[in-house]
Amino acid sequence: MNQRPIGVFDSGLGGLTAVRQLRRLMPSENIIYFGDTSRVPYGNRSRETILKYARQDTRFLRSFDLKAIVIACGTVSSNCLTELRAENDIPIIEVVGPAAQRAAAVTKNHRIGVVATRATISSGAFANALGASLDLMVFSCPCPLFVPLVEEGRCRPGDPVIELVAEEYLRPLRDNNVDTLVLGCTHYPLLADVIGQIMGPDVALIDSGAEAAGALQTLLSEQDALAEREKGSASFYTSDRAADFQRLAALFLGKDLPVQAKQIDITAY
Ligand code: DGL
């Protein structure tokens, strides 16, 4: 048993989709979340900048006595994992490996699509992780407009803007007959209905944040490090206005968890 909290971070609100899954799978855990809303999106930035931001995010979370960190961001997972693991002496779970493993297990025709930010796709992390597991055809597509649209709440079927953008990005993947699509960015599960409508019911969508949550549960239970308490808590920190974070958080978390966020100066870490 280990009662220490789990730290989770993302460039913004997308990582809350992973928090939702963590709470569903492990309701006894205490969670500390940081969303870098003043600097989102990371996905169009250079690797140097993403690494600098990710180190600050990690240092802020390490100011708490954590048992593990979840990088609930595809962009950081695919660009900074080696450094963050080398610099931290607690387990770090990321979103690329677990999602790639699930996709490889689910595909029947061995044709897998990956949608993610530009920085994630250009890192090649998903293609490498998938290439390592099986003889697969991987079709990758950067979708830079998805994150700002999700952060604006433009993510529901029937919204003509997101439907047009999604059709444009996803058509080549559909034409390539993928039967499995990795949502390689933690913002994208909010678009699952829109994406599912365009790809059709036979295409399996893989939620990378949910897969990371499952990987952490497996690790903690193997290490006998799950918490034991009736109900875990969740604390939220953000680098921009707390009120904005709180307003949008419900969209990502569902209505079950009232969010009180605290603004911090991430540049101090
Ligand atoms: N949540 C981030 C990710 O999973 C996307 C947002 C961003 O570009 O910072 O890559």
Side-chain angles (χ1 to χ4, degrees):
M1 180 181 72
N2 186 333
Q3 300 292 76
R4 285 183 291 157
I6 298 162
V8 182
F9 76 94
D10 178 42
S11 54
L13 290 135
L16 293 174
T17 59
V19 170
R20 189 176 185 168
Q21 297 300 331
L22 287 168
R23 289 179 57 85
R24 190 177 61 80
L25 290 175
M26 296 178 280
S28 301
E29 300 294 338
N30 286 348
I31 294 171
I32 296 173
Y33 182 87
F34 172 66
D36 196 3
T37 49
S38 68
R39 304 190 294 196
V40 70
Y42 287 8
N44 300 326
R45 299 184 193 273
S46 68
R47 202 186 92 85
E48 291 68 38
T49 301
I50 297 165
L51 182 57
K52 178 177 143 198
Y53 290 175
R55 283 183 164 136
Q56 289 179 316
D57 302 345
T58 308
R59 279 198 288 268
F60 166 68
L61 284 178
R62 293 299 309 267
S63 65
F64 301 89
D65 182 23
L66 304 175
K67 65 177 164 187
I69 287 181
V70 178
I71 307 173
C73 176
T75 304
V76 174
S77 297
S78 53
N79 283 280
C80 313
L81 185 62
T82 310
E83 288 87 348
L84 295 184
R85 281 204 169 136
E87 291 161 7
N88 289 278
D89 55 0
I90 56 173
I92 296 197
I93 298 289
E94 48 83 44
V95 299
V96 174
Q101 264 177 23
R102 174 71 62 195
V106 162
T107 182
K108 295 195 177 69
N109 70 3
H110 291 194
R111 300 171 77 82
I112 295 178
V114 178
V115 284
T117 65
R118 215 176 251 139
T120 297
I121 298 297
S122 59
S123 77
F126 273 105
N128 289 341
L130 285 162
S133 45
L134 269 181
D135 187 15
L136 298 167
M137 292 277 282
V138 181
F139 303 89
S140 301
C141 176
C143 305
L145 291 174
F146 275 177
V147 167
L149 285 170
V150 168
E151 298 248 337
E152 284 295 324
R154 306 293 299 264
C155 52
R156 298 205 176 81
D159 182 315
V161 178
I162 189 62
E163 286 189 340
L164 183 73
V165 170
E167 172 67 29
E168 180 90 7
Y169 285 145
L170 299 174
R171 192 184 312 119
L173 299 175
R174 194 180 54 210
D175 292 349
N176 275 309
N177 276 331
V178 302
D179 74 349
T180 305
L181 179 63
V182 178
L183 308 182
C185 168
T186 50
H187 281 67
Y188 298 179
L190 273 276
L191 296 173
D193 291 342
V194 171
I195 292 173
Q197 209 167 271
I198 291 168
M199 297 305 291
D202 297 333
V203 174
L205 303 183
I206 309 295
D207 175 337
S208 53
E211 297 305 327
L216 179 63
Q217 184 187 33
T218 305
L219 180 84
L220 293 181
S221 88
E222 277 167 8
Q223 296 185 345
D224 197 18
L226 287 162
E228 281 175 27
R229 63 172 74 82
E230 210 172 302
K231 200 167 184 312
S233 65
S235 316
F236 299 92
Y237 296 86
T238 175
S239 54
D240 211 318
R241 273 195 299 261
D244 294 344
F245 185 96
Q246 286 162 196
R247 186 170 44 82
L248 276 171
L251 190 65
F252 289 82
L253 283 171
K255 298 256 181 290
D256 60 321
L257 184 67
V259 171
Q260 274 298 104
K262 195 169 170 223
Q263 184 173 351
I264 57 136
D265 176 10
I266 193 63
T267 62
Y269 290 87

